[in-house]
């Protein structure tokens, strides 16, 4: 039931502080400094000895895979490749001994991801699944896995699944990093504590909805949007753009901010709103440089900044303030204003937010 919310999507956006707790329940025992994930513990040696990990998914799950790449490489120091399931399945991918394939799917029924899973198994890979729907095809057919426990997601545009997938990937990266001694105890403990702070910081971030409604009123008639981010927030810019196109039908592109000058900058004029993730950590100075370049071309800047920010806030046309959190966990917070922005713009355009045209919740055909 939607309860007090106009749409399931809005309800699911607001549910995220709770779903993160559900994802963590029984898995993060902070008092003992322990992360418990059966699927990893019972395959400890496989993860310790992994030479490379390929993550395969579609859509939003592909975006969380890109965040997983950053986390697993940073914390567990295992080389990671991320592939679209629809591409992976029709290539002749190289899977060698000690390669792990991770498949990520909210529904667990996506046709391309299932085909990729079958191919990975045929090639002898150990396959680990991250799914939301219990008992789904993918959940039943992987060698091991971890559920996201985000609860049923009704809105076609994926929101709470995305953040719960990132949470599982973060737990995996920390746990494998600990096994492989690629992260110090101090950093491990610090990141566990930061993880516990996420639901509260998400709640705080959701309060910016009023501000986002105002911004949406100014921009809901435009035809194009650009989203920029760097590092672990580059996939967040892709996800922000995907949410907007799916439900508002506005053309939107996500880009790594550093790539802007290699093409997309040609699009910028006074009619182009640019959403820039400009949080304090993660190449802040570089992002400021990008913002200046947009401003010089009269683009309209909507900047996602940390509380107390000065530099980006001075340059931006609109600022959206969010709490400070470690770089590794920042996508869980930076995505919230982008989900709300997509929702509010689609709502103002009178679109059927929960059932966008041409899309299905689970893509069981090719
Ligand atoms: C985006 C969206 C789709 C799905 C994609 C994969 O909002 O809903 O892009 O993310 O179809 O679906 P799953 O995760 O069920 O495999």
């Amino acid at each position: 039931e939607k309860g007090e919310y106009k749409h399931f999507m809005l309800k699911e956006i607001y549910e995220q502080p709770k779903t993160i707790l559900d994802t963590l329940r029984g898995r993060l025992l902070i008092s003992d400094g322990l992360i418990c994930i059966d699927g990893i513990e019972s395959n400890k040696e496989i993860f310790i000895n992994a030479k490379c990990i390929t993550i395969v998914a579609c859509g939003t799950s592909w975006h969380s895979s890109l965040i997983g790449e950053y986390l697993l490489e940073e914390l567990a120091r295992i080389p990671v490749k991320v592939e679209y399931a629809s591409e992976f399945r029709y290539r002749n991918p190289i899977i060698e001994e000690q390669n792990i394939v991770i498949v990520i799917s909210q529904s667990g029924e996506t046709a391309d991801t299932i085909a990729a899973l079958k191919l990975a198994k045929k090639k002898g890979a150990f396959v680990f699944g991250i799914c939301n729907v219990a008992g789904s095809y993918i959940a039943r057919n992987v060698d091991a896995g971890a559920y996201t426990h985000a609860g049923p997601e009704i809105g076609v545009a994926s929101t709470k699944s995305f953040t719960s997938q990132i949470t599982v990937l973060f737990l995996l990266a920390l746990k494998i990093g600990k096994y492989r001694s690629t992260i110090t105890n101090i950093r491990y403990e610090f990141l566990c504590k930061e993880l516990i702070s996420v639901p509260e910081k998400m709640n705080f971030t959701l309060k910016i909805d009023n501000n986002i409604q105002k911004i949406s009123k100014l921009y809901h008639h435009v035809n194009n949007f650009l989203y920029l981010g760097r590092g672990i927030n580059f996939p967040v810019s892709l996800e922000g753009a995907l949410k907007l196109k799916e439900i508002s039908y506005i053309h939107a592109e996500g880009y790594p901010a550093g790539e802007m000058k290699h093409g997309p900058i040609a699009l910028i004029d006074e009619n182009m709103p640019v959403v820039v993730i400009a949080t304090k950590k993660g190449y802040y100075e570089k992002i400021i440089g990008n913002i200046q370049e947009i401003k010089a071309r009269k683009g309209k800047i909507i900047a996602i900044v940390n509380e107390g920010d000065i530099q980006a806030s001075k340059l931006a046309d609109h600022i959206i303030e969010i709490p400070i959190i470690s770089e590794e966990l920042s996508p869980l917070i930076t995505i919230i204003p982008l989900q709300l922005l997509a929702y509010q713009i689609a709502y103002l355009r009178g679109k059927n937010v929960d059932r966008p045209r041409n899309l299905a919740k689970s893509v069981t055909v090719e």
Side-chain angles (χ1 to χ4, degrees):
E1 253 318 298
K2 292 201 287 272
E4 60 185 287
Y5 296 99
K6 285 194 206 91
H7 294 97
F8 281 105
M9 181 183 177
L10 191 62
K11 172 175 176 264
E12 287 159 4
I13 292 173
Y14 272 83
E15 256 172 18
Q16 290 174 106
K18 179 187 160 288
T19 53
I20 298 299
L21 285 174
D22 292 340
T23 307
L24 294 178
R25 183 158 301 121
R27 287 175 167 161
L28 181 61
L29 308 171
I30 192 157
S31 51
D32 305 315
L34 278 184
I35 291 173
C36 307
I37 299 178
D38 290 346
I40 304 276
E41 272 148 50
S42 38
N43 298 288
K44 186 173 172 181
E45 294 306 316
I46 294 178
F47 284 96
I48 290 179
N49 298 319
K51 289 249 163 29
C52 127
I53 296 178
T54 305
I55 315 182
V56 187
C58 304
T60 289
S61 300
W62 186 78
H63 295 154
S64 63
S65 305
L66 292 175
I67 292 171
E69 172 182 27
Y70 179 103
L71 292 171
L72 285 159
E73 291 202 341
E74 174 66 21
L75 301 172
R77 306 303 297 157
I78 303 173
V80 176
K81 264 199 316 192
V82 177
E83 303 240 16
Y84 285 113
S86 56
E87 288 295 317
F88 181 88
R89 66 179 290 192
Y90 289 118
R91 290 198 294 105
N92 186 8
I94 299 173
I95 305 283
E96 289 173 332
E97 257 186 65
Q98 297 175 317
N99 282 188
I100 295 175
V101 172
I102 299 181
V103 290
I104 306 185
S105 173
Q106 187 284 129
S107 62
E109 302 289 351
T110 300
D112 283 323
T113 314
I114 289 177
L117 156 68
K118 288 181 181 162
L119 178 61
K121 286 191 92 168
K122 199 169 122 203
K123 294 210 169 231
F126 175 82
V127 184
F128 189 90
I130 299 177
C131 294
N132 193 42
V133 177
S136 56
Y137 183 93
I138 294 177
R140 282 183 281 113
N141 286 279
V142 287
D143 296 306
Y147 281 118
T148 46
H149 296 305
E153 192 178 60
I154 311 292
V156 163
S158 189
T159 52
K160 61 178 181 171
S161 310
F162 178 65
T163 45
S164 66
Q165 287 167 349
I166 296 169
T167 305
V168 168
L169 287 161
F170 185 79
L171 290 170
L172 290 193
L174 270 184
K175 183 152 184 85
I176 301 168
K178 178 108 172 171
Y179 277 157
R180 290 167 54 93
S181 304
T182 47
I183 108 167
T184 62
N185 284 340
I186 293 175
R187 189 174 184 201
Y188 176 90
E189 278 160 29
F190 173 74
L191 287 174
C192 286
K193 285 207 190 96
E194 283 279 278
L195 185 53
I196 293 289
S197 78
V198 167
E200 201 192 313
K201 287 181 180 169
M202 278 182 156
N203 265 321
F204 191 87
T205 307
L206 287 162
K207 299 208 175 93
I208 54 171
D209 206 357
N210 281 340
N211 184 12
I212 295 201
Q213 286 175 27
K214 282 184 208 140
I215 297 171
S216 304
K217 281 191 185 126
L218 295 173
Y219 294 104
H220 71 280
H221 291 304
V222 304
N223 295 322
N224 299 287
F225 251 90
L226 196 58
Y227 288 73
L228 301 177
R230 278 184 182 258
I232 199 167
N233 279 299
F234 155 55
V236 177
S237 73
L238 294 178
E239 175 62 7
L242 178 64
K243 290 296 86 123
L244 189 71
K245 34 186 155 181
E246 281 183 293
I247 58 169
S248 74
Y249 318 144
I250 295 175
H251 168 241
E253 287 192 57
Y255 251 95
E259 268 295 299
M260 191 176 67
K261 62 172 80 58
H262 300 288
I265 198 162
L267 295 168
I268 295 176
D269 62 14
E270 66 281 6
N271 299 316
M272 177 66 101
V274 186
V275 179
V276 187
I277 303 171
T279 42
K280 266 277 183 263
K281 307 266 170 60
Y283 328 100
Y284 183 71
E285 297 301 326
K286 301 279 173 199
I287 288 275
I288 297 295
N290 297 132
I291 293 179
Q292 280 161 339
E293 287 160 6
I294 302 163
K295 204 171 168 66
R297 287 156 188 88
K298 301 195 171 57
K300 296 283 179 290
I301 299 153
I302 302 167
I304 316 291
V305 298
N306 283 133
E307 300 158 298
D309 176 272
I310 296 172
Q311 269 181 285
S313 305
K314 263 196 211 144
L315 295 165
D317 295 274
H318 311 279
I319 58 163
I320 298 170
E321 284 195 341
I322 58 171
I324 293 174
I325 194 156
S326 302
E327 173 77 351
E328 294 86 343
L329 286 163
S330 61
L332 294 173
I333 305 297
T334 53
I335 190 57
I336 293 204
L338 306 193
Q339 292 170 340
L340 288 169
L341 185 69
Y343 173 82
Q344 298 298 355
I345 289 180
Y347 177 69
L348 288 171
R349 286 166 75 99
K351 303 301 178 205
N352 187 344
V353 175
D354 282 337
R355 292 183 148 269
R357 68 185 183 200
N358 308 340
L359 296 175
K361 183 68 193 157
S362 112
V363 186
T364 52
V365 289
E366 222 182 297

